[in-house]
Amino acid sequence: MVGVVGGLVVALGLVTIPLPGPGWLTVIAGLFVLATEFMWAERLLEFTKRHVSAWTEWLGRQPVWVRLAVGLLTAAFVCGVLLVVLHVTGVPDWVPGWVPLWR
């Protein structure tokens, strides 16, 4: 049962990674669940923690302009993915007409 629940949480996280929201956080939460039963998930979780920590430390040592550039590139990527998803799936009816998206 733990494997099924953890697998579903990881799958949900993987699907939502490119979308705005907590995609990676959901994947990591699923790995936490899987790590309670499976050694491979525990090793993958430790690998992920090490790399996230290394990335965070590296980014923290960079000048402000590098951190801003990373933030702007990340925001542009998320905006682009959101526009592609809206183009493919259509703009929901609940979005007000003044929002500058194609219908």
Side-chain angles (χ1 to χ4, degrees):
M1 188 64 163
V2 170
V4 171
V5 172
L8 287 173
V9 173
V10 168
L12 176 68
L14 289 173
V15 168
T16 60
I17 283 173
L19 301 174
W24 282 113
L25 186 61
T26 307
V27 170
I28 292 170
L31 284 176
F32 269 114
V33 172
L34 289 171
T36 62
E37 291 286 325
F38 303 104
M39 184 57 77
W40 63 266
E42 189 174 337
R43 287 192 304 268
L44 184 57
L45 187 59
E46 289 302 319
F47 173 84
T48 303
K49 284 190 216 177
R50 278 194 316 272
H51 281 77
V52 167
S53 178
W55 166 254
T56 304
E57 289 174 13
W58 178 84
L59 193 59
R61 292 190 306 267
Q62 301 309 306
V64 173
W65 69 269
V66 172
R67 288 181 272 164
L68 286 173
V70 168
L72 287 173
L73 286 172
T74 302
F77 175 76
V78 170
C79 183
V81 168
L82 181 61
L83 288 175
V84 168
V85 167
L86 287 175
H87 180 68
V88 170
T89 62
V91 178
D93 293 332
W94 53 264
V95 174
W98 56 266
V99 175
L101 297 172
W102 60 88
R103 291 245 174 226

